[in-house]
Amino acid sequence: MALQIPVPPPAQPGNGSRIPERLFFAGPQPRSSELWWAVRVFMEFIRGFRTLHFVGPCVTVFGSARYREAHPYYALAREAGAAMANLGFTVMTGGGPGIMEAANRGAYDVNAPSIGLNITLPHEQFPNPYVTPDLCFSFHYFAMRKLHFLLRARALVAFPGGFGTFDEVFETLTLVQSQTIAPVPVVFVGEEYWRRAVDMEFLDSEGVIDPQDRELFWYAETAEEIWQSILAWNERHGTPLLVPGCGP
């Protein structure tokens, strides 16, 4: 039988601001263009530091942009966002719709600030109305965005999602597993979804991860389980969630 190779859909430039990134990955460019890209990356790096310097400890929430308000995961993310804010944390998301909107909305419900680190994409990604205006801005580069997701995170909460969510969550697990960053609590919300999406037992049996790597995360089903497990993790590791002097 002939090998069936899928044909990717044609590229959709979408917003014109993405065109320079396509050129960047197309190969060597004039030195002036490469210098401009380097300056642009540095400016995003600095802008993130300046904007987020006084926000205090954060909890980063990942999840699909495609879940709508009627979905149970949207309601759960909204409840979790409110709980995080009430405990004194700043909710940080990708600033888009779906799970991100729900978590920001939960903080908005209790009159707490929240962060939205948006990025310009051909589809899906646009700022949701519940992010605190002064804490909402768009990135051009995924690497800078993901860096700022982690810099102030005291915990990461991963709701079901697609490729973007997988990219963000598993990069974090890779950094923890390789001891590049200090351990951080990672909660997968929706055990049935995540067990079907990623068979960790199979990866362990194949020897491509170590048995202890399965202890880098755990599953939760409710907002209360999310927070009780995060608090228990920090108590066990002796790492305070709220660090004095880090707030605004």
Side-chain angles (χ1 to χ4, degrees):
M1 188 174 73
L3 179 64
Q4 298 294 318
I5 300 177
V7 178
Q12 300 178 9
N15 192 305
S17 64
R18 300 304 299 172
I19 300 298
E21 282 65 50
R22 291 172 184 245
L23 293 175
F24 180 81
F25 286 104
Q29 302 293 324
R31 291 182 179 180
S32 59
S33 297
E34 294 179 340
L35 176 61
W36 167 241
W37 283 322
V39 170
R40 197 175 183 183
V41 169
F42 180 72
M43 292 304 294
E44 288 200 348
F45 186 78
I46 295 298
R47 186 159 62 102
F49 273 112
R50 290 176 61 87
T51 302
L52 303 178
H53 184 73
F54 294 106
V55 297
C58 302
V59 172
T60 300
V61 180
F62 299 131
S64 175
R66 305 187 186 193
Y67 288 128
R68 298 297 177 246
E69 186 173 356
H71 198 283
Y73 282 132
Y74 185 105
L76 178 54
R78 184 176 178 180
E79 180 184 356
M84 297 171 197
N86 278 329
L87 285 170
F89 298 94
T90 303
V91 174
M92 179 185 291
T93 77
I99 295 299
M100 297 172 281
E101 175 184 294
N104 289 127
R105 187 174 180 179
Y108 181 88
D109 289 340
V110 296
N111 298 313
S114 67
I115 301 167
L117 304 185
N118 210 269
I119 192 162
T120 305
L121 295 175
H123 58 87
E124 289 185 358
Q125 194 76 355
F126 51 87
N128 71 68
Y130 302 104
V131 178
T132 302
D134 291 342
L135 299 177
C136 177
F137 56 92
S138 295
F139 285 89
H140 290 95
Y141 299 98
F142 275 98
M144 289 297 99
R145 182 175 180 247
K146 289 191 285 186
L147 170 70
H148 287 293
F149 272 143
L150 286 178
L151 278 177
R152 292 160 187 81
R154 293 290 185 267
L156 286 87
V157 180
F159 282 80
F163 292 155
T165 301
F166 276 52
D167 174 45
E168 293 156 347
V169 171
F170 285 98
E171 179 169 2
T172 301
L173 291 176
T174 300
L175 292 173
V176 174
Q177 188 257 12
S178 62
Q179 300 183 18
T180 302
I181 64 173
V184 60
V186 178
V187 185
F188 283 2
V189 180
E191 182 172 0
E192 181 180 1
Y193 174 89
W194 285 107
R195 286 192 180 277
R196 292 184 63 185
V198 186
D199 191 338
M200 294 293 183
E201 288 78 7
F202 174 71
L203 297 179
D204 185 2
S205 68
E206 287 290 299
V208 295
I209 64 172
D210 293 326
Q212 60 266 31
D213 291 338
R214 292 166 59 185
E215 300 176 5
L216 299 177
F217 63 91
W218 62 88
Y219 304 102
E221 302 297 330
T222 67
E224 182 176 359
E225 286 182 6
I226 292 169
W227 274 109
Q228 290 296 333
S229 62
I230 290 174
L231 292 173
W233 185 96
N234 280 271
E235 182 177 350
R236 186 166 63 249
H237 287 77
T239 54
L241 274 170
L242 289 171
V243 180
C246 285

